[in-house]
Amino acid sequence: TVNDVQGARMIATHNQQASLVVERKGMSFDISRVETSNAYICVSPNQQQEQPAAKRTKSNDSKTLVSVHARLLQPGGSGASFLELKPKCLSISHLQEKLSECVFDPYNNAADKQWTGKTLNSLAESLQVSQKQVMTGLQRMQALCLHENGVALYGLLSQEALQEATSYIIATLTECEEFAHYTRGISKKECIHQVMTRVPTEERYPHLRDVICHTLATLESNDSNDNVDDMERDGDIIRLDVTKVAKSVVQRLFCQQTEPWDEHDLLSAWQREMPGVEYQVSVAMLSGVALLDSSTGKWSYFSETDLSTNLVTRFEMLFQKRPKWTLQELQPYVQRFTMEELSEADLLLQHTSIITQEVDGKPTKLYVSKSIKK
């Protein structure tokens, strides 16, 4: 309705389709011109000016026909086309591509100049969506946020910096008894303080504390405030996800050994490296980190974080690794690109085809490249 787009603004970039953005509703629309050959535009009776009381009909019959104004749109006239608005969804893949232009890498000696991230407004303008849609996407993908001169700048953290920060956090969880039960709740401030004390002075860099805070957030449970005492809901008490912690630990093991791991050896080494005293690792936690070779029974490293953020390229990499995937195997490699507006089923429909084959004697749905004919 007119009320839905009240106060909207139009965003148009070079060689791109124009969009209409309604910030107060957190919505955006694609604008397209629709041609018509023969159509009527009618004005609803309740939008017409009310007739004077003297001219009103005395009949109260609800079936009385009401005249309405109408305009014929036909070729050759000024009204032969109109603008159509279609709700627009934010593409996580496109957002990730924009952020990949701003990778914060403190260990890159060539990058002496100040890091330049993206502001919320610049991301919204370039993606032609509302700022609320962008913020939802940034939170979903856990983008890096650093503040420069009071301005929030967004980007991505380099893999080297992420791994280093994670290693210091894992060491802190292992060495500090107060953090032994990190899934039940720990002090965020105290944890960051303890992590900072373990970073040698020569390895420190600007925004280190922010990077530690960001990395710790990537290990938090999605329901971090559940089962936390009401007296402690002050934002300082956080709960870590044991699966996220376990995946961070096992990634280091795969980096230390390039050869595929025997499952028993991997589980043993993995369990020894796990912080805490009550957490057991399992092969289910390898989802999105490693793949099992059914012919050898060994696990090889294949991390979701190492794949391209471009969805077309990502699926090409997936099918180069394996020509056929089960839904359970494929899910961890695509789930971060799904949102309320784009379901997992829609995403897979766009980039894969489904075949049915027998696996272990049972008919099983398998996902293959769209280029493969059924």
Side-chain angles (χ1 to χ4, degrees):
T1 66
V2 174
N3 290 334
D4 289 331
V5 296
Q6 187 175 10
R9 60 191 177 91
M10 188 178 294
I11 301 178
T13 55
H14 183 61
N15 293 332
Q16 287 190 357
Q17 185 175 8
S19 295
L20 195 70
V21 175
V22 190
E23 288 292 355
R24 66 187 183 87
K25 286 184 172 288
M27 301 172 63
S28 56
F29 302 88
D30 279 326
I31 304 176
S32 57
R33 182 177 179 179
V34 178
E35 300 289 340
T36 178
S37 60
N38 190 358
Y40 281 95
I41 297 294
C42 298
V43 181
S44 177
N46 60 7
Q47 294 181 12
Q48 298 182 44
Q49 288 187 348
E50 188 176 6
Q51 296 180 354
K55 295 184 179 181
R56 292 180 191 162
T57 176
K58 295 181 180 180
S59 172
N60 292 325
D61 186 358
S62 61
K63 295 183 179 179
T64 301
L65 296 178
V66 179
S67 297
V68 298
H69 297 295
R71 180 183 180 185
L72 175 63
L73 302 182
Q74 52 186 326
S78 61
S81 65
F82 57 92
L83 297 179
E84 182 182 27
L85 302 181
K86 294 182 179 179
K88 184 175 184 177
C89 302
L90 171 69
S91 168
I92 290 293
S93 176
H94 291 163
L95 176 58
Q96 185 114 7
E97 288 178 14
K98 290 292 181 183
L99 294 177
S100 65
E101 300 171 3
C102 309
V103 177
F104 182 72
D105 185 3
Y107 300 114
N108 183 0
N109 294 327
D112 295 329
K113 60 181 182 180
Q114 187 179 38
W115 177 70
T116 304
K118 302 277 189 180
T119 64
L120 184 61
N121 182 63
S122 67
L123 287 169
E125 289 285 327
S126 60
L127 295 170
Q128 296 180 284
V129 295
S130 69
Q131 294 186 18
K132 181 178 180 181
Q133 287 174 292
V134 174
M135 181 56 71
T136 300
L138 292 171
Q139 293 172 346
R140 173 67 185 271
M141 62 185 294
Q142 295 185 308
L144 175 68
C145 177
L146 300 179
H147 288 81
E148 292 282 0
N149 300 321
V151 178
L153 300 176
Y154 297 90
L156 299 177
L157 183 62
S158 71
Q159 281 299 307
E160 182 181 1
L162 179 64
Q163 291 170 2
E164 281 296 309
T166 302
S167 66
Y168 283 117
I169 292 174
I170 298 299
T172 301
L173 297 177
T174 302
E175 298 167 7
C176 296
E177 293 186 5
E178 60 187 298
F179 303 139
H181 302 286
Y182 49 82
T183 63
R184 300 180 186 179
I186 61 175
S187 168
K188 179 179 179 179
K189 293 178 182 177
E190 182 60 24
C191 185
I192 293 175
H193 171 72
Q194 291 295 334
V195 172
M196 290 292 292
T197 62
R198 286 165 171 75
V199 181
T201 303
E202 63 274 14
E203 293 185 15
R204 298 191 177 193
Y205 52 82
H207 293 300
L208 173 61
R209 180 176 290 275
D210 294 327
V211 168
I212 296 296
C213 184
H214 165 79
T215 306
L216 188 62
T218 66
L219 300 176
E220 282 188 42
S221 170
N222 293 333
D223 54 352
S224 188
N225 279 329
D226 289 359
N227 300 322
V228 175
D229 190 279
D230 288 339
M231 296 296 291
E232 297 177 329
R233 293 180 186 270
D234 59 356
D236 181 47
I237 303 301
I238 60 172
R239 294 171 57 233
L240 303 187
D241 188 310
V242 66
T243 299
K244 294 178 181 179
V245 173
K247 286 185 176 183
S248 298
V249 172
V250 80
Q251 281 182 319
R252 289 193 300 164
L253 292 177
F254 277 108
C255 291
Q256 294 170 6
Q257 177 176 309
T258 56
E259 295 297 320
W261 279 83
D262 173 78
E263 186 172 299
H264 178 268
D265 293 341
L266 176 61
L267 290 175
S268 298
W270 191 6
Q271 189 63 60
R272 289 194 299 270
E273 296 292 323
M274 274 293 290
V277 295
E278 57 182 23
Y279 308 117
Q280 296 294 317
V281 299
S282 67
V283 292
M285 294 177 174
L286 291 171
S287 172
V289 177
L291 293 174
L292 176 64
D293 186 336
S294 57
S295 62
T296 63
K298 293 188 176 183
W299 290 86
S300 59
Y301 184 66
F302 190 68
S303 176
E304 182 274 334
T305 58
D306 293 339
L307 300 184
S308 172
T309 58
N310 180 283
L311 277 173
V312 174
T313 305
R314 172 170 286 240
F315 276 97
E316 289 176 352
M317 296 172 72
L318 287 168
F319 291 120
Q320 285 173 1
K321 183 66 175 179
R322 279 187 178 179
K324 302 173 185 178
W325 294 73
T326 65
L327 179 60
Q328 185 177 4
E329 293 170 338
L330 201 53
Q331 281 176 327
Y333 295 96
V334 300
Q335 63 185 7
R336 74 152 126 160
F337 295 95
T338 62
M339 296 184 69
E340 291 182 5
E341 300 89 348
L342 181 64
S343 67
E344 179 184 89
D346 291 335
L347 184 64
L348 294 177
L349 183 63
Q350 292 176 16
H351 297 277
T352 69
S353 296
I354 300 177
I355 62 174
T356 302
Q357 288 186 354
E358 282 199 3
V359 178
D360 297 330
K362 297 180 181 179
T364 304
K365 288 184 177 180
L366 298 174
Y367 292 82
V368 299
S369 171
K370 272 190 173 294
S371 62
I372 298 178
K373 295 182 178 179
K374 296 184 180 179

